[in-house]
Amino acid sequence: EGVKTTFYRDADGDGYGNAAVTVQACIQPAGYVANSIDCDDTNAAISPDAVEACNGIDDNCNGQTDEGVMTQYFNDADGDGYGNPYQIGLACSKPAGFVTNNSDCDDTRAAVHPGATEACNDLDDNCNGQTDEGCDDDHDGYCDATLVVVGTPAVCPNGVGDCNDANAAIHPGATEVCNGIDDNCNGQTDEGFVTTPWYRDADGDGYGNPALSTQACTMPTGYVANSTDCDDTRATVHPGGSEVCNGLDDNCNGSTDEGVLKMYFRDADGDGYGAAANRVDACSAPVGYVGNSGDCDDTRASVHPGATEVCNGIDDDCDGSTDEGVSTVYFRDADGDGYGTINGWVRACSQPAGYVTNMSDCDDTRASVHPGATELCNGIDDNCDGSTDEYACG
């Protein structure tokens, strides 16, 4: 007879046997296995190689329940949503009255927790490790008027109402000083003092803007006592400033560029010389204008001071004379003998009809009388030599 082996019942078919149900056999019967380490043979999900789940069961048969899978929860006794770090519970789901955080610094007061508004009450309301921060930062005994005060905390022995908790000299009951500040926190500034108007001097030229003023006992920084600036954006513009040709009222006298504008004259013909009758005043020459006014004819580019005088009946060089130095003197030849008289002359560019270039006729009423004529015995100086009938009457 062969040697028999002990086999263990595997009722749930998970490959692990129940130590309490055995059978002796030479070969392994169906529904039995050689091991006896199943801790629950009614559930195939429970066995030594199962993954532990958070369910109140020893899933992996190691003698422990929910090990490594439970969550820490912290008691929230005051119900403010923040837990006590010293009261811990392990569970698969959150028990009533517990939370997942442990940041409460006082679990007996629901108003005390991280993120709470700090009140003046000798408590660390927001759990940041500080007590009553912001209540009396300047340590003058008065708490900020905007804060909540509970009871009579030591940090606020004089109560609330501080309107500037960064300055110990400013609080209810302080002596009002003329300084532009509400020293006694009564809602008024410099009451009881006579203040002076001061005017903004934005450009720092010592002259103030009449449109921007403030009342104060002493001159604030950036302000002056006068209000005479006409442009507080330019330091060069103020009463007494030097007037510059720039289109601005530099000296604030109500006029622009007075005394510094230049005269420019129209140069219609583009010869570089302007017409005195067509003038503009400007800081710089407009297009088509020049600084001189000597042109006597702004329709001809060839006519201007310094031009070459041409014999054309025009005052080309604008000196007030016409054709000077280039015209010719012609003398009247009334009798048409080719000889003119000094008693009748003209200046012209070309010889006029009835005129000649000489003035040697001694009688312009007789064509037979002129230099070179034949002397006749007639009581007349025929040849204009100053003698009469010489050698003719002999």
Side-chain angles (χ1 to χ4, degrees):
E1 183 174 321
V3 178
K4 293 183 178 180
T5 300
T6 301
F7 293 97
Y8 303 90
R9 181 63 174 151
D10 178 17
D12 55 12
D14 59 6
Y16 297 92
N18 185 344
V21 180
T22 64
V23 65
Q24 296 285 321
C26 293
I27 58 175
Q28 181 176 333
Y32 283 80
V33 292
N35 69 78
S36 60
I37 54 178
D38 202 345
C39 57
D40 185 344
D41 201 34
T42 65
N43 189 337
I46 299 175
S47 63
D49 63 358
V51 176
E52 190 69 22
C54 203
N55 53 12
I57 299 171
D58 179 13
D59 299 281
N60 58 10
C61 297
N62 66 351
Q64 302 177 60
T65 301
D66 298 335
E67 73 281 4
V69 292
M70 285 192 291
T71 301
Q72 278 188 331
Y73 294 95
F74 302 90
N75 189 24
D76 178 18
D78 56 11
D80 59 5
Y82 298 86
N84 187 334
Y86 304 108
Q87 295 181 2
I88 307 170
L90 290 172
C92 293
S93 60
K94 186 175 73 171
F98 281 74
V99 293
T100 56
N101 71 79
N102 63 350
S103 53
D104 206 342
C105 57
D106 186 341
D107 203 33
T108 64
R109 293 181 172 89
V112 177
H113 56 74
T117 300
E118 189 71 21
C120 300
N121 54 10
D122 295 328
L123 299 175
D124 178 12
D125 300 280
N126 57 11
C127 296
N128 68 348
Q130 302 177 61
T131 300
D132 296 334
E133 67 273 13
C135 289
D136 184 19
D137 289 339
D138 57 11
H139 307 296
D140 59 6
Y142 293 87
C143 281
D144 192 319
T146 64
L147 298 179
V148 175
V149 176
V150 180
T152 55
V155 73
C156 305
N158 298 323
V160 296
D162 201 338
C163 54
N164 186 343
D165 204 34
N167 189 333
I170 299 174
H171 55 74
T175 300
E176 189 70 20
V177 180
C178 196
N179 55 8
I181 298 172
D182 179 11
D183 302 280
N184 56 14
C185 296
N186 68 349
Q188 303 177 61
T189 300
D190 299 335
E191 66 274 14
F193 293 91
V194 176
T195 58
T196 301
W198 304 95
Y199 301 90
R200 182 70 173 133
D201 179 18
D203 56 13
D205 59 5
Y207 297 87
N209 183 346
L212 293 176
S213 65
T214 186
Q215 294 284 136
C217 296
T218 58
M219 185 171 70
T221 300
Y223 284 76
V224 293
N226 71 78
S227 60
T228 56
D229 206 342
C230 57
D231 186 341
D232 202 34
T233 65
R234 294 180 171 92
T236 57
V237 176
H238 55 73
S242 297
E243 192 69 23
V244 181
C245 206
N246 54 8
L248 301 175
D249 180 10
D250 299 282
N251 57 11
C252 295
N253 69 348
S255 299
T256 300
D257 298 335
E258 71 280 4
V260 292
L261 287 171
K262 297 178 181 179
M263 292 188 295
Y264 294 95
F265 303 88
R266 181 69 173 137
D267 178 18
D269 56 12
D271 59 6
Y273 296 86
N278 195 343
R279 188 190 93 180
V280 296
D281 293 331
C283 293
S284 58
V287 175
Y289 284 76
V290 293
N292 68 78
S293 60
D295 206 341
C296 55
D297 186 342
D298 203 32
T299 65
R300 293 181 171 93
S302 62
V303 176
H304 56 76
T308 300
E309 189 71 23
V310 180
C311 201
N312 54 9
I314 297 172
D315 180 9
D316 299 283
D317 57 7
C318 296
D319 64 354
S321 298
T322 302
D323 298 336
E324 72 279 7
V326 292
S327 61
T328 301
V329 177
Y330 294 94
F331 301 91
R332 180 66 173 149
D333 178 16
D335 56 11
D337 59 5
Y339 296 88
T341 177
I342 194 171
N343 295 321
W345 63 271
V346 295
R347 185 179 290 277
C349 295
S350 59
Q351 182 175 339
Y355 284 79
V356 294
T357 58
N358 69 81
M359 56 176 182
S360 55
D361 204 342
C362 56
D363 185 345
D364 201 34
T365 64
R366 293 179 172 92
S368 61
V369 177
H370 56 74
T374 300
E375 188 70 26
L376 301 176
C377 187
N378 54 10
I380 297 171
D381 180 9
D382 299 284
N383 58 8
C384 295
D385 63 357
S387 298
T388 301
D389 297 337
E390 69 275 15
Y391 312 115
C393 293

